[in-house]
Amino acid sequence: MANKIQKSFLPEQLPVIPGFSVAAFNMPAHEEGGDFYDFFFIDERYLVVIIADVSGKGIPAALFMMTLKPLIRGYAEAGLSAADVFTKTNSRLCESSDSKMFVTAFMGILDTQTGKFTYVNAGHNPPLIRRKETGFVFIKPRPGLVLAAVETIEYKQVEIQMFPNDMLFLYTDGV
């Protein structure tokens, strides 16, 4: 059941963006959990990229993920900044959860016209960026507390510039 829930929340198709390539892969280790990723356009210019890992395994983690994903998507589609999306999502998760579950998450908003990538990190693994001149290096995100831990946290966002042939690599702790 957890497997079906998790797979139903992964995107069926990857976005097609002129000048960009998008790839995704999901392979659970032993037991299904709350790992997920998503891509969606806010409008024709801005692409949201999310990767997250709900604590725990099985149906409880998958069900918690079902609460998380629509919150993030709804706030992002309403035009909130990446930091505000996580701040509001965190607040709602804390209000509605007494399960002691939490989520590590990373979200970025890519301006597909300029390459500006604005992101926020809630305790998730630091992404890697591959640039022509440096190869792969970790992006040192401003540290942020996991989602659903403390209701009053305000998340901060960071901007980087993506250039042609750059690659952003996001992953969960299973890697």
Side-chain angles (χ1 to χ4, degrees):
M1 181 64 77
N3 180 285
K4 288 180 182 179
I5 293 170
Q6 184 178 26
K7 287 189 176 173
S8 74
F9 267 74
L10 297 177
E12 291 181 18
Q13 295 182 337
L14 298 177
V16 176
I17 310 163
F20 293 88
S21 296
V22 178
F25 178 73
N26 177 274
M27 184 176 76
H30 299 290
E31 185 179 356
E32 295 294 333
D35 291 11
F36 82 92
Y37 59 86
D38 198 10
F39 310 96
F40 59 90
F41 281 95
I42 296 172
D43 59 25
E44 62 281 339
R45 181 173 177 168
Y46 295 98
L47 174 73
V48 175
V49 177
I50 304 165
I51 189 165
D53 185 0
V54 177
S55 65
K57 300 288 180 212
I59 291 176
L63 292 174
F64 199 77
M65 177 191 59
M66 287 178 60
T67 303
L68 172 69
K69 185 176 172 182
L71 285 173
I72 291 174
R73 190 175 194 125
Y75 289 132
E77 288 176 345
L80 273 62
S81 69
D84 287 343
V85 167
F86 270 23
T87 298
K88 288 192 175 295
T89 297
N90 177 68
S91 180
R92 288 292 303 274
L93 289 173
C94 287
E95 281 175 11
S96 63
S97 174
D98 59 0
S99 67
K100 305 296 182 227
M101 296 184 89
F102 63 88
V103 182
T104 67
F106 179 94
M107 176 184 142
I109 302 173
L110 175 66
D111 181 333
T112 61
Q113 292 181 7
T114 67
K116 181 177 85 169
F117 187 70
T118 305
Y119 66 89
V120 62
N121 190 319
H124 200 71
N125 301 312
L128 292 149
I129 189 166
R130 187 192 73 195
R131 297 197 188 270
K132 182 179 172 183
E133 57 279 347
T134 61
F136 279 102
V137 294
F138 284 101
I139 294 177
K140 299 295 183 191
R142 169 178 267 141
L145 188 62
V146 296
L147 296 170
V150 177
E151 189 171 350
T152 57
I153 295 296
E154 289 191 23
Y155 291 86
K156 306 293 183 200
Q157 62 190 34
V158 179
E159 292 179 3
I160 61 171
Q161 182 65 42
M162 299 291 293
F163 298 102
N165 299 313
D166 282 355
M167 180 191 315
L168 185 65
F169 180 74
L170 305 172
Y171 58 97
T172 62
D173 61 5
V175 170

